[in-house]
């Protein structure tokens, strides 16, 4: 036979026995835009720094992982982060992974967001909620990360820094270097 990709070789066809399976209809009460059928589903939050010691201008990375047994990583939703006054947020590209196991596939989506506080004060990160369908109990369940409040301290004061006057006379033995 001829091959459209100009590869030589032999065409092999495999046949197997027919397999019948029952496919359940999706529940009428579910919004199919957020249909996440899984046997286990987790939202996990991690921080690169202690939130109690944040100062103005110092970045901290928030990592949110979505882990779902029975779904692939590309099936997991993206998260949206609303603007918060005084707090700059820079989401990175998601890392998507599929982990095969004895019970099937487990999808992982990891989202990293760099947060940089622009001013001192108290900030509130809203809770993150994702509804998912538990395929073991046939019920909708809510996975969430609780809202989080943290306080940003002012930057270090410069009052203890010794200043050197630039108006001191230059040592005559030092010659200026001409950059021309």
């Amino acid at each position: 036979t001829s091959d459209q990709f100009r590869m030589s070789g032999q065409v092999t066809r495999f046949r197997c026995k027919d397999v019948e399976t029952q496919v359940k209809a999706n529940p009428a009460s579910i919004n199919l835009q957020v249909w996440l059928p899984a046997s286990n589903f987790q939202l996990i939050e991690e921080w690169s720094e202690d939130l109690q010691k944040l100062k103005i201008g110092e970045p901290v990375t928030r990592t949110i992982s979505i882990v779902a047994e029975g779904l692939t990583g590309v099936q997991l939703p993206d998260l949206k982060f609303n603007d918060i006054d005084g707090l700059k947020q820079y989401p990175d590209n998601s890392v998507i992974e599929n982990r095969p196991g004895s019970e099937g596939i487990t999808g992982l989506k990891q989202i990293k967001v760099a947060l940089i506080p622009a001013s001192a004060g108290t900030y509130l990160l809203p809770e993150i909620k994702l509804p998912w369908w538990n395929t073991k109990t046939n019920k909708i369940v809510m996975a969430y990360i609780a809202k989080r409040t943290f306080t940003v301290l002012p930057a270090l004061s410069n009052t203890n820094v010794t200043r050197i006057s630039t108006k001191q006379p230059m040592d005559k033995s030092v010659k200026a270097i001409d950059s021309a």
Side-chain angles (χ1 to χ4, degrees):
T1 66
S2 67
D3 186 296
Q4 71 184 35
F5 299 109
R6 301 183 196 274
M7 300 173 120
S8 60
Q10 185 175 357
V11 175
T12 306
R13 295 176 198 247
F14 294 96
R15 296 192 190 270
C16 67
K17 294 179 184 179
D18 292 342
V19 176
E20 281 191 36
T21 186
Q22 288 279 23
V23 177
K24 295 179 183 178
N26 59 300
S29 61
I30 292 290
N31 175 357
L32 291 180
Q33 298 298 324
V34 293
W35 174 242
L36 296 170
S39 58
N40 191 10
F41 193 96
Q42 296 177 7
L43 277 174
I44 303 164
E45 177 184 58
E46 298 173 278
W47 292 89
S48 65
E49 303 292 332
D50 182 356
L51 289 181
Q52 305 307 314
K53 298 179 180 177
L54 291 182
K55 294 184 179 69
I56 294 173
E58 293 182 1
V60 62
T61 301
R62 181 187 196 192
T63 303
I64 299 171
S65 298
I66 306 170
V67 182
E69 293 177 14
L71 293 171
T72 63
V74 296
Q75 291 176 290
L76 301 175
D78 291 322
L79 298 178
K80 293 181 181 155
F81 301 96
N82 296 329
D83 291 338
I84 298 172
D85 287 339
L87 188 65
K88 296 177 183 175
Q89 299 182 74
Y90 301 98
D92 201 355
N93 291 331
S94 300
V95 174
I96 297 172
E97 190 178 324
N98 295 316
R99 297 179 181 165
S102 61
E103 298 290 319
I105 196 151
T106 297
L108 170 78
K109 182 177 267 190
Q110 188 178 69
I111 302 136
K112 291 187 179 221
V113 182
L115 304 171
I116 303 174
S119 59
T122 300
Y123 294 91
L124 172 68
L125 296 175
E127 75 179 349
I128 298 172
K129 295 194 305 187
L130 286 176
W132 64 283
W133 184 262
N134 187 324
T135 58
K136 291 179 179 176
T137 64
N138 289 322
K139 293 183 180 176
I140 194 164
V141 181
M142 191 65 68
Y144 70 95
I145 294 174
K147 65 182 176 181
R148 181 176 301 278
T149 303
F150 61 95
T151 301
V152 173
L153 304 172
L156 293 175
S157 170
N158 291 336
T159 56
N160 294 334
V161 175
T162 305
R163 298 196 181 270
I164 299 173
S165 172
T166 57
K167 295 184 179 183
Q168 294 178 345
M170 183 184 268
D171 185 350
K172 302 264 186 211
S173 66
V174 177
K175 294 183 180 179
I177 299 174
D178 187 10
S179 61

